[in-house]
Amino acid sequence: MRSAHLALDPDHTVGPIRRELFGGFVEHLGRHIYDGIYEPGHPTADADGFRTDVIELVKGLGVTTIRYPGGNFVSGFKWEDSVGPRETRPRRLDLAWHSTEPNEVGLHEFAGWLEKVGSELMLAVNLGTRGVAEAIELLEYSNIPGGTELSERRIANGRREPFAVEMWCLGNEMDGPWQLGHRSADDYGKLAAQTAKAMRMLDPSVRLVVCGSSSAHMPTFGEWERVVLGHTYDDVDLISCHAYYEEQDGDLGSFLASAVDMDGFIESVVATADHVRAVNGSTKRIDISFDEWNVWYNSRFEQVDKLAGIGNWPVAPRLLEDVYTVADAVVFGNLMISLIKHADRVASASLAQLVNVIAPIMTEPGGPAWRQTTYFPFAITSRLARGRALRLAIDAPTYATGRYGEVPLVDAVATHDDETGNSALFLVNRSVDEEITVRVGVQSLGDVQVVESHTLADADVTAKNTLEHPDRVAPQRNTSVRVEDGVLTVTLPAVSWTALALGRRGAS
Ligand code: AHR
């Protein structure tokens, strides 16, 4: 049997785990809002039309900040359409997803839903078809307590207290040719700097995210970040990264190593941001908002082109409804490990997305809601990863991948919470056919025991949860784990993700 060794030391801190690392993303796309979180008439709908079964699942996921309302959608969005009396709100064409947006759920309703699920709002402004003026108008509407035209309009629309939104995205994926209002790095950088300056004049407390690249494989990657930050360095706080992974050409080995790509992406953006800092002679540090990440079968995605036609603009069509396997969830869990490993510079992250659209939660109109395989690594990691991220020394065998060369079979990260004294370990075994025994030196944690263990694996790595079989896949307790003489030993099945919670022996 193969084996790997990890050394864990609570003094080897990477950085604090900010709760925003476990954020989500809700876009007006497909059945995310309509027939997803909002379905008046559903047996579980509350008085506001929101499905309470979905609310409970979102709460269980433990998502902190939720980015809204897009995504590609935001680049054609008029925020004013989404507020005020519902009966007067316009139905609009959404060019990004070739759909009709009825504006039944808008800023107020979504903020109300966030209160029900216990998450915070992160807003994106439209820098595709709009600009500085509309961005500061939305900020005034959202954050000014009262006494001005737009803040009073908010109050008249039923919300006395400001929404007090702290995190703002300056547009979405402006490097992408598919984006409404797509611009060069130079043009976008200038517009983002002007918008950021104006927004800060209105509310200096906002935290601003400038658009980085839509993926590390964009032809402009690297140069985009350098030029955009060259214009905006003093005016923004974070730069975004977006990444989606999928198994291609049946190459499961490469797919399982997707987090290697995410590691490299983060490290390249950090290097570029720090280069601009050096050039500017600045002492300020720009962090990362990894505000779209997931497994997404882009290649299987029912192309929006299929909806083409001047008379064909459906409301809430079924789009991007990927059904996730065990292997997908293992990669997903590994992407979370990568985010935590970079907690010093990844200050915020948003799982894209939440319900029905490349989502951990699925619903059927009039029917049930259920958890996809990816739900479990998110919910468990968000709950257990507290305090500080710890750097592990990993000594593991490697394997050859088509896409990333030689890659360690085991990836892992640990966390430690100084308040409770609890620690957690998150591990993946990327081997497609062999289990691996991992030994972890935990002496420096004191006399600890394993208080929880969860392993997601299956003899059939393509197993999924579906409407017909909603509970086919779930993590199991790992019965192999033990701690003896300061060494934790655990066996990881092939293609598996594992989380272990450690507590001091004798602590309640
Ligand atoms: O999450 C789906 C889409 O992916 C988003 O709308 C866009 O920002 C990205 O290309």
Side-chain angles (χ1 to χ4, degrees), residues 25 27 29 67 70-74 96-97 172-173 178-179 214 242 244 292 296 298 320 352-353 357-358:
F25 171 35
E27 178 165 8
L29 192 182
R67 181 169 175 255
N72 296 340
F73 172 80
V74 81
W97 303 106
N172 176 68
E173 295 192 347
W178 57 86
Q179 202 69 216
S214 310
H242 291 182
Y244 294 99
E292 288 188 31
W296 176 9
N298 227 315
L320 282 61
Q353 299 197 13
V357 174
I358 45 172

PDB file of all heavy atoms in Angstrom, residues 25 27 29 67 70-74 96-97 172-173 178-179 214 242 244 292 296 298 320 352-353 357-358, ligand 1:
ATOM      1  N   PHE A  25     -22.427  32.625  -4.629  1.00  0.00           N
ATOM      2  CA  PHE A  25     -22.710  33.516  -5.758  1.00  0.00           C
ATOM      3  C   PHE A  25     -24.094  33.167  -6.280  1.00  0.00           C
ATOM      4  O   PHE A  25     -24.373  31.999  -6.567  1.00  0.00           O
ATOM      5  CB  PHE A  25     -21.615  33.290  -6.814  1.00  0.00           C
ATOM      6  CG  PHE A  25     -21.826  33.941  -8.150  1.00  0.00           C
ATOM      7  CD1 PHE A  25     -22.436  35.169  -8.279  1.00  0.00           C
ATOM      8  CD2 PHE A  25     -21.368  33.310  -9.307  1.00  0.00           C
ATOM      9  CE1 PHE A  25     -22.600  35.766  -9.527  1.00  0.00           C
ATOM     10  CE2 PHE A  25     -21.518  33.892 -10.555  1.00  0.00           C
ATOM     11  CZ  PHE A  25     -22.140  35.117 -10.659  1.00  0.00           C
ATOM     12  N   GLU A  27     -26.681  34.342  -9.274  1.00  0.00           N
ATOM     13  CA  GLU A  27     -26.860  35.143 -10.492  1.00  0.00           C
ATOM     14  C   GLU A  27     -28.289  34.960 -10.997  1.00  0.00           C
ATOM     15  O   GLU A  27     -28.869  33.876 -10.860  1.00  0.00           O
ATOM     16  CB  GLU A  27     -25.857  34.674 -11.565  1.00  0.00           C
ATOM     17  CG  GLU A  27     -26.013  35.413 -12.884  1.00  0.00           C
ATOM     18  CD  GLU A  27     -24.835  35.234 -13.834  1.00  0.00           C
ATOM     19  OE1 GLU A  27     -23.948  34.403 -13.539  1.00  0.00           O
ATOM     20  OE2 GLU A  27     -24.815  35.917 -14.869  1.00  0.00           O
ATOM     21  N   LEU A  29     -29.876  33.783 -13.526  1.00  0.00           N
ATOM     22  CA  LEU A  29     -29.443  32.893 -14.614  1.00  0.00           C
ATOM     23  C   LEU A  29     -30.243  31.607 -14.494  1.00  0.00           C
ATOM     24  O   LEU A  29     -30.274  30.999 -13.417  1.00  0.00           O
ATOM     25  CB  LEU A  29     -27.939  32.601 -14.434  1.00  0.00           C
ATOM     26  CG  LEU A  29     -27.104  31.941 -15.511  1.00  0.00           C
ATOM     27  CD1 LEU A  29     -25.678  31.732 -15.032  1.00  0.00           C
ATOM     28  CD2 LEU A  29     -27.638  30.714 -16.156  1.00  0.00           C
ATOM     29  N   ARG A  67     -22.341  36.889  -3.513  1.00  0.00           N
ATOM     30  CA  ARG A  67     -22.162  37.828  -4.623  1.00  0.00           C
ATOM     31  C   ARG A  67     -23.435  37.821  -5.472  1.00  0.00           C
ATOM     32  O   ARG A  67     -23.984  36.758  -5.781  1.00  0.00           O
ATOM     33  CB  ARG A  67     -20.937  37.366  -5.425  1.00  0.00           C
ATOM     34  CG  ARG A  67     -20.565  38.207  -6.616  1.00  0.00           C
ATOM     35  CD  ARG A  67     -19.184  37.751  -7.110  1.00  0.00           C
ATOM     36  NE  ARG A  67     -18.795  38.420  -8.319  1.00  0.00           N
ATOM     37  CZ  ARG A  67     -18.806  37.856  -9.516  1.00  0.00           C
ATOM     38  NH1 ARG A  67     -19.183  36.595  -9.674  1.00  0.00           N
ATOM     39  NH2 ARG A  67     -18.426  38.550 -10.574  1.00  0.00           N
ATOM     40  N   GLY A  70     -24.843  39.095 -10.657  1.00  0.00           N
ATOM     41  CA  GLY A  70     -24.124  38.382 -11.708  1.00  0.00           C
ATOM     42  C   GLY A  70     -22.677  38.711 -11.536  1.00  0.00           C
ATOM     43  O   GLY A  70     -22.331  39.557 -10.689  1.00  0.00           O
ATOM     44  N   GLY A  71     -21.865  38.057 -12.263  1.00  0.00           N
ATOM     45  CA  GLY A  71     -21.999  37.230 -13.454  1.00  0.00           C
ATOM     46  C   GLY A  71     -22.269  38.053 -14.726  1.00  0.00           C
ATOM     47  O   GLY A  71     -22.349  39.279 -14.736  1.00  0.00           O
ATOM     48  N   ASN A  72     -22.309  37.300 -15.804  1.00  0.00           N
ATOM     49  CA  ASN A  72     -22.534  37.905 -17.112  1.00  0.00           C
ATOM     50  C   ASN A  72     -23.800  38.765 -17.110  1.00  0.00           C
ATOM     51  O   ASN A  72     -23.884  39.765 -17.823  1.00  0.00           O
ATOM     52  CB  ASN A  72     -22.636  36.811 -18.180  1.00  0.00           C
ATOM     53  CG  ASN A  72     -21.337  36.035 -18.333  1.00  0.00           C
ATOM     54  OD1 ASN A  72     -20.277  36.506 -17.948  1.00  0.00           O
ATOM     55  ND2 ASN A  72     -21.410  34.843 -18.893  1.00  0.00           N
ATOM     56  N   PHE A  73     -24.786  38.346 -16.319  1.00  0.00           N
ATOM     57  CA  PHE A  73     -26.056  39.069 -16.251  1.00  0.00           C
ATOM     58  C   PHE A  73     -25.861  40.534 -15.880  1.00  0.00           C
ATOM     59  O   PHE A  73     -26.523  41.424 -16.416  1.00  0.00           O
ATOM     60  CB  PHE A  73     -26.971  38.381 -15.216  1.00  0.00           C
ATOM     61  CG  PHE A  73     -28.227  39.119 -14.896  1.00  0.00           C
ATOM     62  CD1 PHE A  73     -29.332  39.052 -15.740  1.00  0.00           C
ATOM     63  CD2 PHE A  73     -28.329  39.898 -13.751  1.00  0.00           C
ATOM     64  CE1 PHE A  73     -30.507  39.741 -15.441  1.00  0.00           C
ATOM     65  CE2 PHE A  73     -29.494  40.593 -13.435  1.00  0.00           C
ATOM     66  CZ  PHE A  73     -30.578  40.506 -14.294  1.00  0.00           C
ATOM     67  N   VAL A  74     -24.917  40.796 -14.967  1.00  0.00           N
ATOM     68  CA  VAL A  74     -24.822  42.159 -14.427  1.00  0.00           C
ATOM     69  C   VAL A  74     -24.379  43.168 -15.483  1.00  0.00           C
ATOM     70  O   VAL A  74     -24.682  44.361 -15.380  1.00  0.00           O
ATOM     71  CB  VAL A  74     -23.884  42.221 -13.190  1.00  0.00           C
ATOM     72  CG1 VAL A  74     -22.416  42.277 -13.561  1.00  0.00           C
ATOM     73  CG2 VAL A  74     -24.246  43.417 -12.314  1.00  0.00           C
ATOM     74  N   ALA A  96     -27.186  38.239 -21.894  1.00  0.00           N
ATOM     75  CA  ALA A  96     -26.123  37.285 -21.548  1.00  0.00           C
ATOM     76  C   ALA A  96     -26.615  35.849 -21.636  1.00  0.00           C
ATOM     77  O   ALA A  96     -25.900  34.959 -22.093  1.00  0.00           O
ATOM     78  CB  ALA A  96     -25.610  37.575 -20.139  1.00  0.00           C
ATOM     79  N   TRP A  97     -27.840  35.606 -21.177  1.00  0.00           N
ATOM     80  CA  TRP A  97     -28.354  34.227 -21.125  1.00  0.00           C
ATOM     81  C   TRP A  97     -29.581  34.048 -22.007  1.00  0.00           C
ATOM     82  O   TRP A  97     -30.303  33.065 -21.867  1.00  0.00           O
ATOM     83  CB  TRP A  97     -28.636  33.835 -19.673  1.00  0.00           C
ATOM     84  CG  TRP A  97     -27.406  33.968 -18.832  1.00  0.00           C
ATOM     85  CD1 TRP A  97     -27.142  34.933 -17.908  1.00  0.00           C
ATOM     86  CD2 TRP A  97     -26.229  33.137 -18.880  1.00  0.00           C
ATOM     87  NE1 TRP A  97     -25.885  34.755 -17.370  1.00  0.00           N
ATOM     88  CE2 TRP A  97     -25.299  33.657 -17.944  1.00  0.00           C
ATOM     89  CE3 TRP A  97     -25.854  32.001 -19.614  1.00  0.00           C
ATOM     90  CZ2 TRP A  97     -24.035  33.087 -17.726  1.00  0.00           C
ATOM     91  CZ3 TRP A  97     -24.605  31.432 -19.402  1.00  0.00           C
ATOM     92  CH2 TRP A  97     -23.721  31.970 -18.470  1.00  0.00           C
ATOM     93  N   ASN A 172     -17.893  42.624 -14.138  1.00  0.00           N
ATOM     94  CA  ASN A 172     -17.675  41.175 -14.153  1.00  0.00           C
ATOM     95  C   ASN A 172     -16.946  40.765 -15.417  1.00  0.00           C
ATOM     96  O   ASN A 172     -17.354  41.151 -16.525  1.00  0.00           O
ATOM     97  CB  ASN A 172     -19.035  40.455 -14.119  1.00  0.00           C
ATOM     98  CG  ASN A 172     -18.885  38.944 -14.225  1.00  0.00           C
ATOM     99  OD1 ASN A 172     -18.377  38.294 -13.309  1.00  0.00           O
ATOM    100  ND2 ASN A 172     -19.289  38.378 -15.357  1.00  0.00           N
ATOM    101  N   GLU A 173     -15.867  40.011 -15.262  1.00  0.00           N
ATOM    102  CA  GLU A 173     -15.151  39.381 -16.390  1.00  0.00           C
ATOM    103  C   GLU A 173     -15.002  40.319 -17.593  1.00  0.00           C
ATOM    104  O   GLU A 173     -15.329  39.951 -18.726  1.00  0.00           O
ATOM    105  CB  GLU A 173     -15.835  38.077 -16.806  1.00  0.00           C
ATOM    106  CG  GLU A 173     -15.770  37.030 -15.719  1.00  0.00           C
ATOM    107  CD  GLU A 173     -16.171  35.615 -16.151  1.00  0.00           C
ATOM    108  OE1 GLU A 173     -16.747  35.460 -17.245  1.00  0.00           O
ATOM    109  OE2 GLU A 173     -15.890  34.677 -15.392  1.00  0.00           O
ATOM    110  N   TRP A 178     -17.029  37.558 -24.517  1.00  0.00           N
ATOM    111  CA  TRP A 178     -18.465  37.253 -24.434  1.00  0.00           C
ATOM    112  C   TRP A 178     -19.220  38.285 -23.602  1.00  0.00           C
ATOM    113  O   TRP A 178     -20.440  38.305 -23.569  1.00  0.00           O
ATOM    114  CB  TRP A 178     -18.665  35.870 -23.789  1.00  0.00           C
ATOM    115  CG  TRP A 178     -18.038  35.769 -22.433  1.00  0.00           C
ATOM    116  CD1 TRP A 178     -18.601  36.128 -21.242  1.00  0.00           C
ATOM    117  CD2 TRP A 178     -16.721  35.331 -22.143  1.00  0.00           C
ATOM    118  NE1 TRP A 178     -17.706  35.935 -20.215  1.00  0.00           N
ATOM    119  CE2 TRP A 178     -16.553  35.437 -20.742  1.00  0.00           C
ATOM    120  CE3 TRP A 178     -15.660  34.839 -22.919  1.00  0.00           C
ATOM    121  CZ2 TRP A 178     -15.356  35.087 -20.107  1.00  0.00           C
ATOM    122  CZ3 TRP A 178     -14.485  34.488 -22.280  1.00  0.00           C
ATOM    123  CH2 TRP A 178     -14.341  34.615 -20.899  1.00  0.00           C
ATOM    124  N   GLN A 179     -18.469  39.156 -22.928  1.00  0.00           N
ATOM    125  CA  GLN A 179     -19.088  40.061 -21.962  1.00  0.00           C
ATOM    126  C   GLN A 179     -19.667  41.284 -22.670  1.00  0.00           C
ATOM    127  O   GLN A 179     -18.975  41.892 -23.494  1.00  0.00           O
ATOM    128  CB  GLN A 179     -18.025  40.528 -20.961  1.00  0.00           C
ATOM    129  CG  GLN A 179     -18.561  41.027 -19.650  1.00  0.00           C
ATOM    130  CD  GLN A 179     -19.160  39.891 -18.839  1.00  0.00           C
ATOM    131  OE1 GLN A 179     -20.141  40.093 -18.162  1.00  0.00           O
ATOM    132  NE2 GLN A 179     -18.587  38.705 -18.951  1.00  0.00           N
ATOM    133  N   SER A 214     -10.769  36.052 -16.373  1.00  0.00           N
ATOM    134  CA  SER A 214     -11.854  35.069 -16.300  1.00  0.00           C
ATOM    135  C   SER A 214     -11.320  33.661 -16.143  1.00  0.00           C
ATOM    136  O   SER A 214     -12.086  32.740 -15.855  1.00  0.00           O
ATOM    137  CB  SER A 214     -12.682  35.109 -17.568  1.00  0.00           C
ATOM    138  OG  SER A 214     -13.043  36.404 -17.854  1.00  0.00           O
ATOM    139  N   HIS A 242     -11.294  33.977 -11.459  1.00  0.00           N
ATOM    140  CA  HIS A 242     -12.381  33.034 -11.754  1.00  0.00           C
ATOM    141  C   HIS A 242     -11.770  31.764 -12.335  1.00  0.00           C
ATOM    142  O   HIS A 242     -10.864  31.853 -13.183  1.00  0.00           O
ATOM    143  CB  HIS A 242     -13.350  33.605 -12.796  1.00  0.00           C
ATOM    144  CG  HIS A 242     -14.177  34.762 -12.288  1.00  0.00           C
ATOM    145  ND1 HIS A 242     -15.120  35.381 -13.057  1.00  0.00           N
ATOM    146  CD2 HIS A 242     -14.207  35.387 -11.075  1.00  0.00           C
ATOM    147  CE1 HIS A 242     -15.700  36.349 -12.337  1.00  0.00           C
ATOM    148  NE2 HIS A 242     -15.148  36.377 -11.138  1.00  0.00           N
ATOM    149  N   TYR A 244     -12.947  27.538 -13.496  1.00  0.00           N
ATOM    150  CA  TYR A 244     -13.851  26.386 -13.551  1.00  0.00           C
ATOM    151  C   TYR A 244     -13.064  25.208 -14.104  1.00  0.00           C
ATOM    152  O   TYR A 244     -12.239  25.385 -15.010  1.00  0.00           O
ATOM    153  CB  TYR A 244     -15.036  26.674 -14.472  1.00  0.00           C
ATOM    154  CG  TYR A 244     -15.953  27.768 -13.944  1.00  0.00           C
ATOM    155  CD1 TYR A 244     -15.853  29.081 -14.421  1.00  0.00           C
ATOM    156  CD2 TYR A 244     -16.916  27.490 -12.985  1.00  0.00           C
ATOM    157  CE1 TYR A 244     -16.694  30.082 -13.941  1.00  0.00           C
ATOM    158  CE2 TYR A 244     -17.760  28.483 -12.505  1.00  0.00           C
ATOM    159  CZ  TYR A 244     -17.645  29.772 -12.986  1.00  0.00           C
ATOM    160  OH  TYR A 244     -18.487  30.755 -12.510  1.00  0.00           O
ATOM    161  N   GLU A 292     -15.412  33.473  -8.430  1.00  0.00           N
ATOM    162  CA  GLU A 292     -16.127  32.398  -9.135  1.00  0.00           C
ATOM    163  C   GLU A 292     -15.190  31.201  -9.187  1.00  0.00           C
ATOM    164  O   GLU A 292     -14.096  31.300  -9.759  1.00  0.00           O
ATOM    165  CB  GLU A 292     -16.536  32.807 -10.551  1.00  0.00           C
ATOM    166  CG  GLU A 292     -17.665  33.818 -10.583  1.00  0.00           C
ATOM    167  CD  GLU A 292     -18.215  34.079 -11.984  1.00  0.00           C
ATOM    168  OE1 GLU A 292     -18.199  33.152 -12.829  1.00  0.00           O
ATOM    169  OE2 GLU A 292     -18.661  35.210 -12.216  1.00  0.00           O
ATOM    170  N   TRP A 296     -17.286  22.857 -13.574  1.00  0.00           N
ATOM    171  CA  TRP A 296     -18.362  23.226 -14.517  1.00  0.00           C
ATOM    172  C   TRP A 296     -18.094  22.517 -15.838  1.00  0.00           C
ATOM    173  O   TRP A 296     -17.046  22.737 -16.442  1.00  0.00           O
ATOM    174  CB  TRP A 296     -18.377  24.751 -14.720  1.00  0.00           C
ATOM    175  CG  TRP A 296     -19.362  25.258 -15.743  1.00  0.00           C
ATOM    176  CD1 TRP A 296     -20.353  24.560 -16.378  1.00  0.00           C
ATOM    177  CD2 TRP A 296     -19.455  26.593 -16.259  1.00  0.00           C
ATOM    178  NE1 TRP A 296     -21.056  25.362 -17.222  1.00  0.00           N
ATOM    179  CE2 TRP A 296     -20.531  26.616 -17.173  1.00  0.00           C
ATOM    180  CE3 TRP A 296     -18.745  27.776 -16.025  1.00  0.00           C
ATOM    181  CZ2 TRP A 296     -20.892  27.772 -17.874  1.00  0.00           C
ATOM    182  CZ3 TRP A 296     -19.113  28.920 -16.722  1.00  0.00           C
ATOM    183  CH2 TRP A 296     -20.177  28.924 -17.627  1.00  0.00           C
ATOM    184  N   ASN A 298     -18.506  22.967 -18.838  1.00  0.00           N
ATOM    185  CA  ASN A 298     -18.674  23.960 -19.881  1.00  0.00           C
ATOM    186  C   ASN A 298     -18.907  23.315 -21.234  1.00  0.00           C
ATOM    187  O   ASN A 298     -19.723  23.777 -22.021  1.00  0.00           O
ATOM    188  CB  ASN A 298     -17.369  24.747 -19.939  1.00  0.00           C
ATOM    189  CG  ASN A 298     -17.613  26.215 -19.982  1.00  0.00           C
ATOM    190  OD1 ASN A 298     -18.468  26.664 -20.733  1.00  0.00           O
ATOM    191  ND2 ASN A 298     -16.870  26.971 -19.184  1.00  0.00           N
ATOM    192  N   LEU A 320     -27.160  25.325 -17.483  1.00  0.00           N
ATOM    193  CA  LEU A 320     -25.990  25.005 -16.635  1.00  0.00           C
ATOM    194  C   LEU A 320     -26.358  24.104 -15.454  1.00  0.00           C
ATOM    195  O   LEU A 320     -25.837  24.267 -14.346  1.00  0.00           O
ATOM    196  CB  LEU A 320     -25.348  26.295 -16.094  1.00  0.00           C
ATOM    197  CG  LEU A 320     -24.456  27.152 -16.993  1.00  0.00           C
ATOM    198  CD1 LEU A 320     -25.167  27.692 -18.206  1.00  0.00           C
ATOM    199  CD2 LEU A 320     -23.854  28.302 -16.207  1.00  0.00           C
ATOM    200  N   ALA A 352     -19.357  29.416  -7.257  1.00  0.00           N
ATOM    201  CA  ALA A 352     -20.305  29.728  -8.334  1.00  0.00           C
ATOM    202  C   ALA A 352     -20.923  28.408  -8.817  1.00  0.00           C
ATOM    203  O   ALA A 352     -20.205  27.602  -9.371  1.00  0.00           O
ATOM    204  CB  ALA A 352     -19.567  30.409  -9.490  1.00  0.00           C
ATOM    205  N   GLN A 353     -22.223  28.211  -8.565  1.00  0.00           N
ATOM    206  CA  GLN A 353     -23.164  29.096  -7.932  1.00  0.00           C
ATOM    207  C   GLN A 353     -23.864  28.340  -6.809  1.00  0.00           C
ATOM    208  O   GLN A 353     -23.253  27.385  -6.316  1.00  0.00           O
ATOM    209  CB  GLN A 353     -24.115  29.642  -8.986  1.00  0.00           C
ATOM    210  CG  GLN A 353     -23.344  30.441 -10.070  1.00  0.00           C
ATOM    211  CD  GLN A 353     -24.190  31.354 -10.919  1.00  0.00           C
ATOM    212  OE1 GLN A 353     -25.334  31.637 -10.635  1.00  0.00           O
ATOM    213  NE2 GLN A 353     -23.594  31.828 -12.021  1.00  0.00           N
ATOM    214  N   VAL A 357     -27.990  26.128 -10.801  1.00  0.00           N
ATOM    215  CA  VAL A 357     -27.038  26.546 -11.828  1.00  0.00           C
ATOM    216  C   VAL A 357     -25.630  26.191 -11.337  1.00  0.00           C
ATOM    217  O   VAL A 357     -25.164  26.812 -10.376  1.00  0.00           O
ATOM    218  CB  VAL A 357     -27.164  28.063 -12.072  1.00  0.00           C
ATOM    219  CG1 VAL A 357     -26.088  28.556 -13.017  1.00  0.00           C
ATOM    220  CG2 VAL A 357     -28.548  28.396 -12.612  1.00  0.00           C
ATOM    221  N   ILE A 358     -24.997  25.182 -11.949  1.00  0.00           N
ATOM    222  CA  ILE A 358     -23.709  24.655 -11.467  1.00  0.00           C
ATOM    223  C   ILE A 358     -23.659  24.738  -9.930  1.00  0.00           C
ATOM    224  O   ILE A 358     -22.794  25.391  -9.350  1.00  0.00           O
ATOM    225  CB  ILE A 358     -22.492  25.337 -12.154  1.00  0.00           C
ATOM    226  CG1 ILE A 358     -22.625  26.859 -12.246  1.00  0.00           C
ATOM    227  CG2 ILE A 358     -22.230  24.742 -13.510  1.00  0.00           C
ATOM    228  CD1 ILE A 358     -21.351  27.564 -12.753  1.00  0.00           C
TER     229      ILE A 358
HETATM  230  O1  AHR B   1     -21.085  31.279 -13.375  1.00  0.00           O
HETATM  231  C1  AHR B   1     -21.494  31.273 -14.711  1.00  0.00           C
HETATM  232  C2  AHR B   1     -20.843  32.375 -15.528  1.00  0.00           C
HETATM  233  O2  AHR B   1     -19.463  32.100 -15.600  1.00  0.00           O
HETATM  234  C3  AHR B   1     -20.898  33.766 -14.965  1.00  0.00           C
HETATM  235  O3  AHR B   1     -22.060  34.436 -15.322  1.00  0.00           O
HETATM  236  C4  AHR B   1     -19.711  34.429 -15.607  1.00  0.00           C
HETATM  237  O4  AHR B   1     -19.184  35.465 -14.823  1.00  0.00           O
HETATM  238  C5  AHR B   1     -18.745  33.296 -15.848  1.00  0.00           C
HETATM  239  O5  AHR B   1     -18.284  33.285 -17.142  1.00  0.00           O
END
